[in-house]
Amino acid sequence: MRKVLRKVILFLKKKLSMDDFRLKVFYSVSKNQSFTKAAAELFITQPAVTKHIKLLEESLGVRLFERKGNFIVLTTAGEVLFRYATEIFRLYQEAIFELGTLKKQYQGSLRLGASTTIGQYLISPILASFHEKFPQIELTLLNGNSEFIENAVLSKNIDLGIVEGKKHHNSLKYTEFMDDELVAVVHTKSKFAKQTSISLDDLPNIPLVLRERGSGTLEVIESALKEKGLKLSNLSIVMHLGSTESIKSFLEHSQAMSFMSIRAIQKELKREEFRIINIQDFEILRTFSFVNLHGQQDNLSSIFMQFANRHYNQK
């Protein structure tokens, strides 16, 4: 049985690397929106990337990319192919993962860490499903803000972290996990709940309660505001609090506004306790990332990352 599984896995990897490498190049260019970044990701030269894309376009008889100034964008045909390529590679990784679990009995302990928002609103369903799939693996979870989790990885107190915000340390490897959006939110009792939309010029006149320094959430907010020419010092910040739950409680008893993950307020939105306020020409997007020490990603960490990606992609 194990010999058969090993042959199937090797066959799948061989097929992907030989017959479908051009599709892999196309996928990397599309994802990164850059020939240069794709070359670095795939460890090939930029001329080689260009050649593979040209040969793929010739074999398909369609153009996949077009240039707009200094940027490349997908054509309509490219968008169709990217959609299918994404699914192909997802199914490929799923097949490899399932075959791997059949031929191995994983056991041991995995020390995880998650930043506050991820720990409170995202990780629990994944942990429950992972435990059901791998009951012999002992999991522990450490919570804290992103800075705290990164330091825990650096000090080797945990094996793998999941953080929000920017990359801070060259000693750490950041692997993108999932996207998130921060939205402006008030309690329905707030006087600002009557407004469905405001402008950025209105923002300095609204009392705000935000996360503490060291929080990935605050860092992302600060960066997004800076791109619009606003500083935190320009705003009317009445308080910094250490968790999203404490901010929720504060909003319930105040007129203030906050920026929170859309994932963190689903229950309150359904109960019509909170209301999202649209800010014209302004959005705050961020990425949650796995983080571990360069060159020290153990087998169990890899298994958890694959499992979490599968869990998320199936939503």
Side-chain angles (χ1 to χ4, degrees):
M1 177 64 175
R2 290 188 176 182
K3 288 183 179 180
V4 173
L5 287 170
R6 191 179 299 113
K7 287 181 180 180
V8 171
I9 292 173
L10 289 173
F11 173 75
L12 285 172
K13 290 182 175 178
K14 186 177 180 181
K15 287 292 289 180
L16 185 64
S17 61
M18 292 179 62
D19 296 347
D20 300 319
F21 186 69
R22 289 174 193 164
L23 185 62
K24 190 174 183 179
V25 173
F26 163 78
Y27 178 76
S28 181
V29 173
S30 303
K31 182 180 64 174
N32 291 292
Q33 296 183 312
S34 167
F35 281 69
T36 303
K37 290 180 180 179
E41 182 175 85
L42 298 171
F43 300 102
I44 60 177
T45 64
Q46 187 171 333
V49 171
T50 302
K51 180 180 179 181
H52 281 298
I53 294 299
K54 183 178 180 182
L55 290 172
L56 182 61
E57 288 178 329
E58 289 176 353
S59 67
L60 295 174
V62 293
R63 286 190 63 192
L64 299 172
F65 298 98
E66 59 183 19
R67 287 199 171 273
K68 288 190 176 180
N70 295 325
F71 302 95
I72 59 168
V73 296
L74 288 165
T75 63
T76 301
E79 290 176 352
V80 171
L81 184 60
F82 180 65
R83 187 169 68 249
Y84 280 100
T86 300
E87 183 66 9
I88 287 169
F89 288 117
R90 185 190 69 78
L91 289 172
Y92 166 76
Q93 291 298 331
E94 185 171 327
I96 294 298
F97 179 80
E98 286 293 337
L99 291 168
T101 59
L102 286 175
K103 72 187 183 77
K104 295 180 181 178
Q105 288 294 318
Y106 297 106
Q107 57 184 348
S109 61
L110 179 61
R111 300 170 303 166
L112 299 169
S115 61
T116 310
T117 301
I118 297 166
Q120 288 182 323
Y121 308 106
L122 175 67
I123 198 69
S124 293
I126 298 174
L127 292 177
S129 297
F130 187 85
H131 176 70
E132 186 175 349
K133 182 79 173 180
F134 304 103
Q136 66 274 28
I137 298 177
E138 180 185 353
L139 295 175
T140 58
L141 179 67
L142 180 69
N143 286 124
N145 63 32
S146 292
E147 182 180 25
F148 178 80
I149 296 302
E150 288 172 334
N151 287 332
V153 175
L154 287 168
S155 60
K156 299 183 180 181
N157 289 325
I158 59 175
D159 306 304
L160 179 69
I162 311 177
V163 298
E164 53 206 77
K166 298 181 178 181
K167 302 176 182 179
H168 299 107
H169 301 278
N170 292 331
S171 300
L172 297 177
K173 179 182 179 182
Y174 295 81
T175 305
E176 292 186 1
F177 173 33
M178 62 194 303
D179 297 323
D180 186 39
E181 181 180 6
L182 297 174
V183 294
V185 60
V186 297
H187 197 276
T188 49
K189 296 177 183 177
S190 169
K191 63 182 179 181
F192 298 107
K194 299 174 183 178
Q195 301 176 254
T196 57
S197 180
I198 62 173
S199 69
L200 274 172
D201 292 335
D202 298 322
L203 197 56
N205 301 317
I206 300 175
L208 293 171
V209 54
L210 301 176
R211 287 289 305 279
E212 80 290 358
R213 286 288 178 185
S215 160
T217 298
L218 183 65
E219 181 182 42
V220 171
I221 294 169
E222 188 172 16
S223 178
L225 289 170
K226 187 176 180 181
E227 290 181 5
K228 295 295 185 178
L230 282 174
K231 298 179 180 179
L232 288 180
S233 57
N234 299 139
L235 306 181
S236 301
I237 301 174
V238 297
M239 193 169 294
H240 289 276
L241 294 173
S243 72
T244 300
E245 287 301 311
S246 60
I247 291 177
K248 287 183 184 181
S249 181
F250 187 93
L251 291 181
E252 185 179 354
H253 303 284
S254 78
Q255 299 292 323
M257 175 188 290
S258 186
F259 291 99
M260 287 188 281
S261 167
I262 187 68
R263 302 175 187 277
I265 56 172
Q266 292 302 306
K267 291 181 180 178
E268 288 79 9
L269 291 176
K270 288 180 180 178
R271 294 196 294 254
E272 297 185 348
E273 295 173 353
F274 285 173
R275 181 163 296 163
I276 294 174
I277 305 298
N278 176 58
I279 302 178
Q280 300 160 18
D281 192 32
F282 185 64
E283 62 178 1
I284 307 178
L285 305 176
R286 65 176 174 181
T287 301
F288 295 145
S289 298
F290 293 109
V291 59
N292 61 279
L293 288 170
H294 271 296
Q296 295 191 27
Q297 181 174 302
D298 58 68
N299 192 41
L300 294 185
S301 293
S302 298
I303 292 298
F304 184 83
M305 289 169 64
Q306 291 180 54
F307 185 89
N309 276 310
R310 285 186 59 216
H311 187 280
Y312 170 61
N313 288 325
Q314 289 174 353
K315 295 297 181 183

